[in-house]
Amino acid sequence: MELARAGLAWAAALLLAALGAQAAAAGDFDPYRVLGVGRSSSQADIKKAYKQLAREWHPDKNKDPGAEDKFIQISKAYEILSNEEKRANFDRYGDAGESQGYSQHRQFHHFHEGFYFDESLFHFPFNSERRDTSDDKYLLHFSHYVNEIVPDSFKKPYLIKITSDWCFSCIHIEPVWKEVAQELEALGVGIGVVHAGYERRLAHHLGAHSTPSLLGLINGKITFFHNAVVRENLRQFVENLLPGNLVEKITDKNYIRFLSDWRKENKPHVLLFDHMPVVPLLYKLTAFAYRDYLSFGYVYVGLRGTEQLSRQYNINVYTPTMMIFKEHIDRPADVVQARDMKKQLIDDFLSQNKFLMVARLTNQRLFQELCPVKKSHRQRKHCVVLLTGEGEKFDEAYEAFLTFAVANTKDTLKFVHIYNDRQPEFADALLMDDEKYRGKSAVVILERRNNAGKIAYKALEEAWQGSKEDNFILLDLLDQLRTDPGLLSSETVLSDLNDELAPMFLIRWLYSALDYISDCWDSLFHSNWREMMPLLSLLFSALFILFGTVIVQAFSDSSDTRDSPPSEKEETAAKTEKNDASFSKESNRIPKKGFVEVTELTDINYTSNLVRLRPGHMNVVLILSNSTKTVLLQKFALEVYTFTGSSSLHFSFLSLDKHRGWLEYLLEFAQDAAPIPNQYDKHFLERDYTGYVLALNGHKKYFCLFKPHRWGDEGGTPGSCEDYDSSLHTEARGRSSCSPGSRSLKNKLHKLSFWMERLLEGSLQRFYIPSWPALD
């Protein structure tokens, strides 16, 4: 009994010490000191101090390593002082209320010589000041996610966790998350953490409506994790994100065909020999990262049917071996062998062997990588180009050039070749259509001078036949070039190369369609209706349009039999055209030609008018409200009337009363042009967007923005009626001078026609988005 009492007393002492430590930590945070204001400061002074500090320490603008923590403290301080109840609690108890009141809610209850304590006393990590710091290096911000993470997802998949403070389930999955994150990061998977409390904008953008949430990101596409959070499920989830055709299974029957595809694919081919029955995840991730440069195959050495392959290349079946094959399939160009294949070892090996010995220039991107622009005299890069034809007739010349390239490989030299018939502009610019090269191969040494296509070059005086004499002449020119860069005396400007692999677009589109169908089926299986809404909207829109067309056609056919006499129709048409010329003010009469057709953008026609808009077409959308609809539509029609002749422009209007959330989601991607006020501002929901015009390109997923003309600024460029500062200081200045009641609504669309001209010229700033949001 004495031992029990002593143990209970010791436990109580530990708990009291923990409570005291946390109370001391809470007492160290002074919101007045953080914002630099006094205890008697007014709300206006507090708001002004917060705005100034928030701009200075925002992580997207301040690159200081401690900017994020400083910004969090500033936000927390403003959250306390802007709330009268929390401010009063802090002034009275030294705490805002989250941790105060331990004596009321977390006190000890004595009974029967023992004690009872609340289990929540052990959950101190929920406090934001004591959150787990292991995730800090993975924290994501909105701009970082859009500008860096999304483009990087085309090279590697990302596993992202959405978490928050006071989240019991977040603590529950933490041990598994740490283990899996560390393991997958070593394999090449990107890891990200979004704190929903501080990055609400990003959490909303990702579609995470609860915490914790786990999701995968690959090729810019988001997929949510639905299963139990265990190591095996998370590994399988990341593996399922990858395309299924990255690695081909290789045996004695198909290895010759696989290695011989180097000529058609214009890529080196990589074989991994291992005793694992399934392709390792590390190898799949590597194949995804290098899929644009290399083709990958996997050989399971324990499988019957791979013995001949293992004997031919002398494979040690007990040690993983990676071989890379280029133009010669009978011997590997390079080999690496290690008992434990690490990512760094594989990356170093593959980065040195991304190209064939004599790669064919099939597009402009490959040309720029193999033949980079000269940066300085010490970093000269020369390309030796074989211009030849296709077929057996030119094989001898190509083989001789390949042999010369293998024997004279240097860091400053790159050997490439092109097919004259596939790149005629490139060949004509270098050979000048000289008769002595017609029907034969030629060799040109060139150096790129700038990114605009300017090059210096010198062609061998005679056609290339691959003889010993040709080899000596080319070798002598390369030796002279090392000491005399002026040897490249000719200059010209090359146009961009044709993309010879463009016909593969259909196959890539087919694979993308199959992946999309698979994702939709998976979403349907898990009853994830939020993610299924775009597909369901598309199906119902198609059915509605089809059914509605049949009904309209039926009524149209039946009404044709009851038409008025032709004389009356002609008279009506004449009157209509006359009214069109003077732009009739009768809203109930719709002219048959020469009028501006403006349709309302709704959830029914949203898919067909934007999401599935044909390439090259744009929808110009006017933002209005119920009270401003009539006036703004009349002014909008007058401003865009002269542009209605373009069949690629469509005109619509969007009701701000119905779809404010959709508009504000788009404006998040145009923060420089249309900044959104801070969430703590009480006038956040009162921002006036009427008169905004958006030109939406549904196919390329970007939009251009027109903001209402500044009142009284007749000589300026179109700008926003209210900016970030004005919206935050509305209560200090009284009624805004930009409100609809203080000026004519028509002036909001002043100079819209000039903006339309710049739109057609393509000189407007474009704001790109990952995908079009649903129009709820």
Side-chain angles (χ1 to χ4, degrees):
M1 182 63 70
E2 293 298 330
L3 290 175
R5 290 181 178 178
L8 291 174
W10 178 76
L14 285 179
L15 289 171
L16 288 172
L19 288 175
Q22 179 158 341
D28 291 339
F29 180 78
D30 185 357
Y32 292 103
R33 186 177 68 251
V34 172
L35 295 183
V37 296
R39 290 182 175 268
S40 60
S41 300
S42 63
Q43 286 294 330
D45 294 335
I46 293 173
K47 183 184 294 185
K48 181 178 180 180
Y50 164 72
K51 280 173 37 187
Q52 182 178 357
L53 291 173
R55 289 196 189 95
E56 179 182 355
W57 290 98
H58 196 285
D60 292 344
K61 298 181 179 180
N62 194 319
K63 302 305 180 183
D64 190 283
E68 180 188 349
D69 293 334
K70 182 68 174 179
F71 184 77
I72 291 174
Q73 290 185 359
I74 294 169
S75 300
K76 182 178 179 181
Y78 180 71
E79 182 179 3
I80 294 174
L81 298 184
S82 62
N83 186 295
E84 294 297 341
E85 182 180 354
K86 292 183 178 180
R87 183 178 181 181
N89 286 336
F90 182 84
D91 292 340
R92 186 179 299 113
Y93 304 111
D95 188 83
E98 288 89 347
S99 58
Q100 71 97 15
Y102 277 103
S103 60
Q104 301 175 12
H105 303 291
R106 298 184 177 182
Q107 59 187 349
F108 293 97
H109 303 275
H110 294 267
F111 64 96
H112 297 295
E113 298 183 348
F115 65 93
Y116 167 80
F117 55 89
D118 193 331
E119 185 182 2
S120 62
L121 289 172
F122 291 102
H123 294 286
F124 297 124
F126 289 144
N127 191 307
S128 61
E129 292 296 320
R130 292 173 172 264
R131 69 179 189 274
D132 191 354
T133 58
S134 62
D135 285 341
D136 286 353
K137 64 178 180 178
Y138 304 126
L139 287 176
L140 302 180
H141 302 290
F142 185 85
S143 61
H144 178 226
Y145 171 83
V146 173
N147 298 325
E148 298 183 26
I149 301 301
V150 172
D152 197 40
S153 68
F154 289 84
K155 298 179 182 179
K156 64 181 180 182
Y158 274 80
L159 183 64
I160 300 176
K161 178 182 71 170
I162 316 295
T163 185
S164 65
D165 292 334
W166 302 99
C167 172
F168 288 85
S169 299
C170 299
I171 299 299
H172 179 71
I173 69 171
E174 196 63 30
V176 179
W177 166 260
K178 286 183 180 179
E179 178 187 0
V180 174
Q182 183 178 2
E183 178 183 358
L184 293 180
E185 186 180 25
L187 298 179
V189 178
I191 304 297
V193 175
V194 177
H195 196 291
Y198 305 120
E199 285 293 334
R200 298 178 185 176
R201 179 182 172 195
L202 179 54
H204 176 73
H205 174 76
L206 295 174
H209 303 283
S210 61
T211 56
S213 293
L214 298 177
L215 58 89
L217 175 69
I218 190 170
N219 291 332
K221 184 179 64 175
I222 296 171
T223 304
F224 277 84
F225 176 76
H226 302 288
N227 298 322
V229 182
V230 295
R231 176 180 176 274
E232 292 75 13
N233 290 348
L234 287 173
R235 281 181 58 93
Q236 189 61 45
F237 171 69
V238 172
E239 190 166 352
N240 291 340
L241 293 175
L242 299 169
N245 58 339
L246 289 172
V247 182
E248 184 176 352
K249 296 290 185 67
I250 304 299
T251 63
D252 293 341
K253 297 180 179 179
N254 64 351
Y255 82 95
I256 295 180
R257 189 267 309 159
F258 173 75
L259 297 178
S260 300
D261 283 345
W262 67 268
R263 190 183 297 271
K264 179 177 65 175
E265 298 178 0
N266 195 36
K267 297 178 181 178
H269 284 58
V270 185
L271 284 180
L272 176 65
F273 297 81
D274 204 347
H275 57 276
M276 300 292 293
V278 296
V279 182
L281 178 58
L282 172 61
Y283 196 54
K284 288 185 177 181
L285 293 168
T286 303
F288 180 76
Y290 290 90
R291 66 191 185 282
D292 292 336
Y293 301 96
L294 304 163
S295 293
F296 292 82
Y298 180 75
V299 182
Y300 172 34
V301 294
L303 180 67
R304 180 176 298 179
T306 61
E307 297 87 351
Q308 177 184 346
L309 189 57
S310 300
R311 286 196 302 269
Q312 178 171 348
Y313 299 115
N314 193 24
I315 300 299
N316 182 355
V317 297
Y318 301 104
T319 304
T321 304
M322 184 175 288
M323 292 183 171
I324 191 161
F325 294 82
K326 296 186 178 180
E327 284 87 349
H328 300 104
I329 66 173
D330 56 335
R331 62 182 184 275
D334 205 351
V335 180
V336 64
Q337 194 175 55
R339 291 190 176 275
D340 188 13
M341 283 280 187
K342 297 291 185 180
K343 179 181 183 300
Q344 187 61 47
L345 175 64
I346 296 177
D347 286 343
D348 293 341
F349 175 70
L350 296 181
S351 60
Q352 298 173 5
N353 295 281
K354 291 197 302 183
F355 304 106
L356 297 170
M357 296 301 300
V358 181
R360 181 161 59 92
L361 300 181
T362 56
N363 53 56
Q364 185 66 17
R365 178 187 63 82
L366 190 60
F367 180 43
Q368 293 172 349
E369 287 196 59
L370 290 172
C371 305
V373 175
K374 178 193 70 172
K375 296 181 179 179
S376 66
H377 292 289
R378 295 183 178 181
Q379 295 179 338
R380 290 182 178 274
K381 299 285 185 180
H382 297 101
C383 267
V384 185
V385 186
L386 173 68
L387 299 98
T388 184
E390 298 183 68
E392 297 180 357
K393 173 183 175 181
F394 301 94
D395 286 349
E396 184 177 353
Y398 169 78
E399 291 295 335
F401 187 76
L402 175 61
T403 302
F404 181 89
V406 173
N408 294 275
T409 301
K410 297 178 181 178
D411 293 338
T412 57
L413 287 179
K414 289 293 183 182
F415 293 87
V416 296
H417 78 286
I418 68 167
Y419 289 145
N420 295 338
D421 295 338
R422 300 193 185 188
Q423 305 290 346
E425 295 180 358
F426 188 95
D428 292 344
L430 295 178
L431 302 181
M432 302 297 182
D433 200 20
D434 199 328
E435 286 294 334
K436 63 183 176 183
Y437 299 118
R438 190 174 300 277
K440 300 179 181 179
S441 301
V443 172
V444 176
I445 306 173
L446 63 84
E447 179 184 69
R448 293 181 63 221
R449 293 294 173 85
N450 58 35
N451 290 319
K454 184 179 180 180
I455 65 166
Y457 72 99
K458 180 176 180 59
L460 267 66
E461 296 182 359
E462 299 297 331
W464 174 269
Q465 298 178 352
S467 63
K468 291 185 177 179
E469 182 180 357
D470 291 341
N471 280 267
F472 285 133
I473 293 175
L474 179 57
L475 186 60
D476 183 56
L477 282 176
L478 294 177
D479 287 339
Q480 295 180 42
L481 191 61
R482 288 189 300 175
T483 57
D484 183 16
L487 186 66
L488 306 181
S489 55
S490 302
E491 290 188 349
T492 188
V493 177
L494 298 176
S495 58
D496 289 351
L497 292 172
N498 302 324
D499 190 354
E500 298 180 15
L501 301 180
M504 296 294 291
F505 168 78
L506 182 61
I507 298 177
R508 293 196 296 269
W509 179 88
L510 180 60
Y511 280 126
S512 299
L514 292 176
D515 291 339
Y516 181 74
I517 294 173
S518 175
D519 292 340
C520 291
W521 175 257
D522 181 67
S523 298
L524 181 63
F525 177 77
H526 291 286
S527 300
N528 193 353
W529 297 108
R530 184 177 297 275
E531 295 179 30
M532 285 295 295
M533 284 305 297
L535 178 61
L536 295 177
S537 175
L538 176 62
L539 293 177
F540 281 110
S541 298
L543 292 175
F544 179 83
I545 293 172
L546 179 61
F547 187 65
T549 303
V550 173
I551 293 179
V552 171
Q553 184 66 34
F555 278 99
S556 177
D557 293 341
S558 63
S559 62
D560 288 344
T561 60
R562 299 189 298 272
D563 281 341
S564 58
S567 59
E568 295 181 6
K569 291 174 61 179
E570 294 174 0
E571 182 181 356
T572 304
K575 292 181 179 179
T576 302
E577 294 177 0
K578 183 177 180 180
N579 290 336
D580 289 340
S582 62
F583 204 80
S584 174
K585 297 182 180 180
E586 297 178 9
S587 59
N588 59 345
R589 181 181 297 276
I590 303 177
K592 291 188 176 181
K593 64 178 181 178
F595 67 97
V596 181
E597 181 180 356
V598 184
T599 59
E600 182 176 4
L601 197 62
T602 65
D603 55 344
I604 296 177
N605 60 14
Y606 177 67
T607 300
S608 57
N609 285 5
L610 176 60
V611 179
R612 301 296 180 187
L613 203 61
R614 287 177 293 174
H617 287 238
M618 299 190 74
N619 197 337
V620 182
V621 181
L622 169 67
I623 307 301
L624 48 77
S625 61
N626 292 335
S627 59
T628 61
K629 181 176 181 180
T630 304
V631 178
L632 286 181
L633 275 179
Q634 290 178 356
K635 179 63 175 177
F636 181 70
L638 288 172
E639 291 287 332
V640 304
Y641 179 75
T642 56
F643 304 94
T644 55
S646 174
S647 60
S648 62
L649 290 179
H650 310 270
F651 300 96
S652 305
F653 68 89
L654 183 81
S655 175
L656 188 63
D657 302 316
K658 301 178 183 178
H659 307 296
R660 173 181 284 269
W662 180 87
L663 175 64
E664 290 182 343
Y665 173 84
L666 253 63
L667 294 183
E668 288 181 357
F669 296 92
Q671 285 289 286
D672 294 337
I676 296 178
N678 188 276
Q679 59 180 333
Y680 294 112
D681 181 34
K682 66 179 183 180
H683 295 280
F684 174 65
L685 297 178
E686 300 176 8
R687 185 174 176 86
D688 181 22
Y689 295 109
T690 57
Y692 277 52
V693 179
L694 286 78
L696 310 172
N697 189 313
H699 179 68
K700 293 187 177 181
K701 296 184 179 63
Y702 72 81
F703 66 93
C704 301
L705 177 65
F706 170 86
K707 296 185 296 178
H709 183 72
R710 293 184 184 272
W711 175 245
D713 185 11
E714 297 297 331
T717 58
S720 173
C721 173
E722 62 278 350
D723 56 11
Y724 180 80
D725 291 329
S726 64
S727 64
L728 288 179
H729 288 289
T730 301
E731 68 174 2
R733 298 186 302 178
R735 186 178 180 179
S736 174
S737 62
C738 294
S739 62
S742 64
R743 68 174 184 178
S744 174
L745 284 171
K746 292 184 179 181
N747 283 332
K748 283 196 169 189
L749 299 180
H750 183 56
K751 293 190 177 181
L752 177 61
S753 58
F754 296 103
W755 182 83
M756 290 291 298
E757 292 179 359
R758 293 182 60 196
L759 174 66
L760 296 180
E761 293 172 358
S763 59
L764 291 175
Q765 182 179 3
R766 298 177 178 181
F767 304 101
Y768 288 87
I769 65 173
S771 61
W772 293 111
L775 191 68
D776 296 330

